[in-house]
Amino acid sequence: YIADRCNLDDQINKELLQFLKDQKPEIRIHSNALDIYDATLRKFISVEKDHITWEDEVFFPQLKMLCTPEELN
């Protein structure tokens, strides 16, 4: 589950970042492209915040339970 969640988050963010990168030239051409870009950027930020929260609340506590202090350093 943990690896699947990390892989899914990474894949979503890679696709969102690529979309944002590809849209930069379009913003200058189409006025509604800025709205799409802005919405995508907000989605990317949301996914990242959720991922960081999940790591802090689920992943790292489990990792701390499974590893010795030496392994965590």
Side-chain angles (χ1 to χ4, degrees):
Y1 168 79
I2 290 175
D4 292 340
R5 169 69 192 258
C6 290
N7 288 335
L8 181 60
D9 286 349
D10 287 344
Q11 185 61 38
I12 289 169
N13 283 339
K14 284 178 186 177
E15 291 177 17
L16 288 172
L17 283 174
Q18 187 61 51
F19 177 82
L20 291 168
K21 181 180 174 184
D22 293 344
Q23 292 304 306
K24 280 192 171 186
E26 292 295 318
I27 291 173
R28 292 183 215 117
I29 299 169
H30 303 289
S31 61
N32 67 340
L34 183 57
D35 293 336
I36 295 168
Y37 187 88
D38 185 55
T40 304
L41 183 58
R42 281 183 276 142
K43 180 63 176 177
F44 171 79
I45 292 168
S46 173
V47 170
E48 272 302 297
K49 283 181 178 181
D50 287 348
H51 181 79
I52 290 168
T53 299
W54 176 82
E55 284 182 336
D56 288 344
E57 294 176 359
V58 177
F59 179 74
F60 290 125
Q62 289 181 14
L63 186 65
K64 287 177 183 177
M65 289 180 358
L66 297 173
C67 297
T68 66
E70 294 80 21
E71 292 172 320
L72 293 172
N73 288 328

